[in-house]
C-alpha cells in the first residue's frame, strides 16, 4: 500500500493506493450507522462486498454521465436524511468519476458540509476525479455547471476494482493519465508510461501479476495533488495546467452531444489539438509533439481534425465561447511546452486568433 | 455611512450600513454586464431603482419562505447562464433573508463559485442572514437542509429599504436583533435596545428623522461578525452561540408547519424557552431572565408554553431529534447565562433530560 497526504487549503486528504478493496471499517472507521454509501448499479457489488456484515445506508444510482443531474443529488440527500445522518455523518462514494462528483457535491451541501471519503473504482476516478476537491453535476446541457470545491478526507484507489472496467472506460481514464504525465516537468512520468505501455493497454493487463500499474497511479495522484496544493481553487494559473487538452476537449464533448464521446476520448483529441497549437505557436518542439502523437496512437484515440463527430463548427465555437475557464474574454488554452505545459490565452474575438483555432480544429 | 470589515476564513466581507440604497455602480463596480441581480417581487422596485439606466440581468423570485427551493436555485442559475456570466461574473442578491440565502447558495455553486454581493432590505437580513456566509434552501420539509458556507464580498444594509417592510417581518427581524444583543457580554447592546425601544417598534419609527437604528444595526452586525470570525464554519463552539433560541425555535417552526410562523416569531418563543432552561439549570439569574421576558413582551411575541400552534408534541420532539446541530447524539441548547450565553448539551435519550425539555416546552 502506498499512502499520500495532501493539504488543499483548509482540507486534508489522505490517499491510499492498494491492491485490494479496503475493508469497510477502514473506510468508515467503526461508524457504519452514520455512513451513507453512494454507488451506481455497476459498482454496487463492490460497495456491498466492502460493507460486508455491517449496515451503512445505500444510495444506488443509475450508471453513466446521464445520471449527473440534480435529480441524483436529491436522491442522495434524501437517502442521507432517511438514514438520519447528522452533520457529523459520513458520505462514502464508491464508483468512477460520476459517482465521485455526485457524492462529493452532495456531501458538500448536506447540512452545509459533511465528511466525505471516496473509493475510486475507475482509472479516470483514481488519476483525476476523486482527488483535488472538484465536485459537480451537469445543468442546462453544460458539464459541471453547478459544483463546489470540497476535497474528500480520504481517497482509496484499489487496483483490483479496475479488473471489471469496460475497455472504453479504461481508455477514457488512460487519456487523463497521459495528460497528467505530460505535466511532469522531469519527464519521468511520460517515460514510465511508454516503458510500461503493455501493462496499461487493458484492465486485464493492468491487474495482472507483477503489474506496476498501482505505482503508476500513485505517481499520477502525487503529480496532480501537488499541483492542486499550490492553487486549490484555481484562483491562480497553476491548477489550470490540469486543463491541458480540456478546452478543446470540453467543446468537442458539448458539440458532439454530452455522452456521445467519453470524457477521455474528447480529452485525447484535445491533447492532439493542444499539441498542434503548441507547435504553431512555437512553444512545443517537433520532437516532443511526435512523442505525444505516438502515445495517443498507441492507445488508439481518434485524433484527426476535424473529429468525425464534429459536424457543426458553429456549435463547437459556441461551446468554446461558453467555457467556464474563460478569463477577461479570453480562452485559456493549456499547451504542452518544451517540458510540462503552459498557458496560452487567446481572444476569439480577434479574427487572426479565431482563424488559428479554426484551422487547428477543422483542419482548414 | 458605517463600514465594517470581516475576515471569515479565506473570505473577506466588507459591510456598509447606509441611510440610502447604494448606487448600482457602487455595488457592481462598473461591470453591470457581468452582474445578475436576484430579487423577489417585493424588492424588485428597489433593485430596478438601483440598476437605474444600467442593464444587469435580473432574476425575480416569488416572495416568501415557500420560494426557498431547488426550483428557485435552478431559476437563478439559468438566468446567470442565459446572461452569459462566467466564473468572473457577479451575483447580487437584493432582498431579505430568503433572497440572500438563495442568491448566495447559487453564487457558491455556479461554476464552482462566483463573486457575491448582498443588498439586505429586511431587518432580519441585515442583522442576521446576509452576514457570515451561511447559504441554503429547504428540502424535504427541513429548513436549510442543503447549503454551503460562502460569505459575500460586500454586504449593504440601507436603512431606507426598511421603510416598506411589513410589521410582521419587522418583528421577525427584531427577534434576531434581541438574540444578538443578548450575546453581548458587555451588556451594552441590550441596554441600547431598551433605551431606544420606541425607535425599534416599527419600520416607520426606525426610518424617522434622527433615528439611531442604523447605528444599532451596525452594532449588531459587528457583534455577529466578530463571533463568526472566530469560528466561521461552526466547527468549534463559538459560532454555535448565535443559535441562542434556535434549537427550540427551529423545532417549533417545523412542528407548526414551515411558513406558518415567521422565523423570528419562532426564535422569540425559543428565547423564552432558552431562558426557562437557563433558569432551571441555574446558569441564568432570575433578574436577567426577567429583563429578557420584558423585552420579548414589549415587542409582543407569543412566549407561552406550550405555544398555541404546538398541537403535536410528537412532531416537536421528532424535529428536535433531527436538528442539524446535534453533536454526538446530544442536542446543544444555547441558553442565556449570567452574561452572554453558553452551551448546554442535553441527551434526549436520557429520560430525565427529556422530561426537563418536555416540561419547559409543553408546560407540563
Amino acid at each position: 500500500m502506498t499512502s499520500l497526504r495532501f493539504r488543499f487549503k483548509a482540507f486534508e486528504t489522505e490517499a491510499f493506493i492498494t491492491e485490494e478493496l479496503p475493508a469497510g471499517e477502514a473506510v468508515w472507521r467503526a461508524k457504519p450507522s452514520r455512513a451513507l454509501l453512494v454507488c451506481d448499479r455497476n459498482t454496487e457489488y463492490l460497495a456491498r462486498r466492502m460493507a460486508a456484515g455491517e449496515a451503512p445506508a445505500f444510495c444506488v444510482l443509475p450508471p453513466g454521465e446521464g445520471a449527473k443531474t440534480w435529480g441524483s443529488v436529491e436522491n442522495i440527500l434524501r437517502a442521507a436524511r432517511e438514514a438520519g445522518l447528522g452533520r457529523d455523518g459520513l458520505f462514502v462514494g464508491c464508483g468512477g468519476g460520476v459517482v465521485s462528483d455526485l457524492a462529493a457535491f452532495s456531501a458538500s451541501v448536506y447540512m452545509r458540509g459533511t465528511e466525505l471519503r471516496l473509493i475510486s473504482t475507475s482509472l479516470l476516478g483514481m488519476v483525476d476525479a476523486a482527488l483535488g476537491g472538484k465536485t459537480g453535476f451537469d445543468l442546462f446541457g453544460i458539464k459541471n455547471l453547478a459544483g463546489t470545491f470540497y476535497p474528500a478526507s480520504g481517497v482509496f484507489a484499489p487496483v483490483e476494482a479496475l479488473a471489471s472496467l469496460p475497455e472504453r472506460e479504461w481508455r477514457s481514464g488512460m487519456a487523463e493519465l497521459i495528460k497528467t504525465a505530460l505535466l511532469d516537468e522531469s519527464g519521468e512520468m511520460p517515460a514510465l508510461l511508454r516503458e510500461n505501455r503493455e501493462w496499461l493497454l487493458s484492465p486485464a493487463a493492468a491487474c495482472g501479476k507483477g503489474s506496476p500499474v498501482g505505482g503508476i497511479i500513485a505517481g499520477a495522484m502525487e503529480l496532480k495533488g501537488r499541483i492542486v496544493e499550490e492553487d486549490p481553487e484555481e484562483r491562480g494559473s497553476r491548477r489550470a495546467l490540469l486543463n491541458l487538452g480540456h478546452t478543446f476537449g470540453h467543446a468537442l464533448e458539448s458539440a458532439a452531444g454530452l455522452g456521445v464521446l467519453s470524457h477521455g476520448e474528447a480529452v485525447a483529441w484535445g491533447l492532439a489539438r493542444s499539441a498542434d497549437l503548441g507547435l504553431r505557436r512555437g512553444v512545443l518542439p517537433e520532437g516532443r509533439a511526435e512523442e505525444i502523437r505516438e502515445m495517443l496512437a498507441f492507445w488508439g484515440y481518434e485524433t484527426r481534425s476535424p473529429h468525425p463527430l464534429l459536424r457543426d463548427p458553429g456549435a463547437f465555437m459556441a461551446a468554446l465561447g461558453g467555457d467556464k475557464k474563460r478569463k477577461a474574454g479570453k480562452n485559456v488554452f493549456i499547451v504542452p511546452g518544451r517540458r510540462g505545459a503552459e498557458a496560452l490565452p487567446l481572444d476569439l474575438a480577434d479574427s487572426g486568433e479565431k482563424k488559428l483555432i479554426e484551422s487547428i480544429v477543422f483542419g482548414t
Side-chain angles (χ1 to χ4, degrees), chain A residues 23-356:
Chain A
E25 57 265 36
V27 178
W28 44 77
R29 294 183 286 199
K31 292 174 182 163
S33 69
R34 297 190 305 102
L36 173 71
L37 245 161
V38 181
C39 56
D40 66 24
R41 285 197 299 270
N42 291 340
T43 58
E44 186 179 357
Y45 78 101
L46 289 169
R48 300 259 176 216
R49 213 180 88 199
M50 204 169 55
E54 303 180 84
F58 272 78
C59 179
V60 184
L61 303 169
E65 179 79 21
K68 236 176 129 177
T69 62
W70 165 255
S72 292
V73 173
E74 199 174 357
N75 285 337
I76 296 170
L77 298 177
R78 185 182 295 111
R81 175 63 193 162
E82 286 174 357
L85 258 71
R87 190 180 282 177
D88 58 356
L90 171 69
F91 283 60
V92 179
C94 176
V98 172
V99 167
S100 292
D101 283 2
L102 288 169
F105 180 83
S106 303
S108 75
V109 303
Y110 186 72
M111 298 191 179
R112 296 200 188 95
T114 306
E115 191 181 356
L116 168 72
R117 320 200 101 207
L118 295 171
I119 294 105
S120 192
T121 63
S122 74
L123 185 60
L124 183 76
M126 293 177 187
V127 303
D128 197 44
L131 188 71
K134 286 193 176 179
T135 86
F137 59 94
D138 305 336
L139 202 59
F140 317 134
I142 298 150
K143 276 195 66 123
N144 297 323
L145 183 67
T148 49
F149 174 75
Y150 200 75
S153 60
V155 174
F156 298 79
V159 176
E160 76 155 309
L162 300 174
S164 61
L165 208 63
E167 297 274 337
R168 194 176 174 204
E169 284 195 36
W170 175 265
R171 290 190 336 120
S172 182
M174 201 51 228
E176 290 286 3
L177 182 51
I178 294 171
K179 175 212 77 177
T180 305
L182 292 176
L183 299 177
D184 183 3
E185 305 205 337
S186 76
E188 281 173 30
M189 273 297 282
L192 203 60
L193 296 201
R194 279 192 300 270
E195 287 158 22
N196 293 289
R197 62 189 203 174
E198 302 295 338
W199 290 104
L200 289 165
L201 204 48
S202 70
C207 295
K209 204 171 145 70
S211 164
V213 167
I216 292 172
I217 289 170
M221 290 176 82
E222 172 105 44
L223 256 173
K224 173 174 178 175
R226 298 305 165 213
I227 290 173
V228 175
E229 277 183 330
E230 293 174 46
D231 175 24
E233 295 193 41
E234 207 168 323
R235 305 274 174 210
S237 56
R238 195 76 185 127
R239 182 163 188 165
L241 294 180
L242 290 162
N243 295 321
L244 175 62
H246 281 62
T247 303
F248 288 111
H250 275 155
L252 175 65
E253 246 181 308
S254 292
L258 283 188
V260 173
L261 286 165
S262 76
H263 179 62
E265 285 167 340
V267 166
W269 180 85
L271 289 175
R273 296 292 78 69
S274 303
D276 291 346
L277 180 57
L279 268 175
R280 294 277 283 268
R281 279 298 176 104
V283 299
L284 174 65
E286 173 54 37
R288 192 168 183 226
E290 186 52 32
E291 279 175 21
I292 295 171
R293 279 187 218 111
E294 271 175 23
M295 285 173 91
L296 296 173
F298 180 77
W299 277 278
Y301 296 110
E302 174 60 76
T303 57
R304 286 172 293 175
S305 82
H307 191 285
L309 291 175
L310 185 50
R311 295 196 186 89
D312 182 353
F316 183 91
M317 296 306 285
L320 266 190
D323 190 83
K324 277 209 286 299
K325 278 104 183 175
R326 287 180 84 209
K327 274 197 176 168
K330 293 197 176 190
N331 279 80
V332 181
F333 293 87
I334 309 296
V335 300
R338 192 164 297 279
R339 55 175 63 196
E342 52 193 84
L344 278 183
L346 291 183
D347 184 356
L348 297 180
D350 175 289
S351 71
E353 301 196 335
K354 187 173 173 217
K355 269 199 184 133
L356 171 63

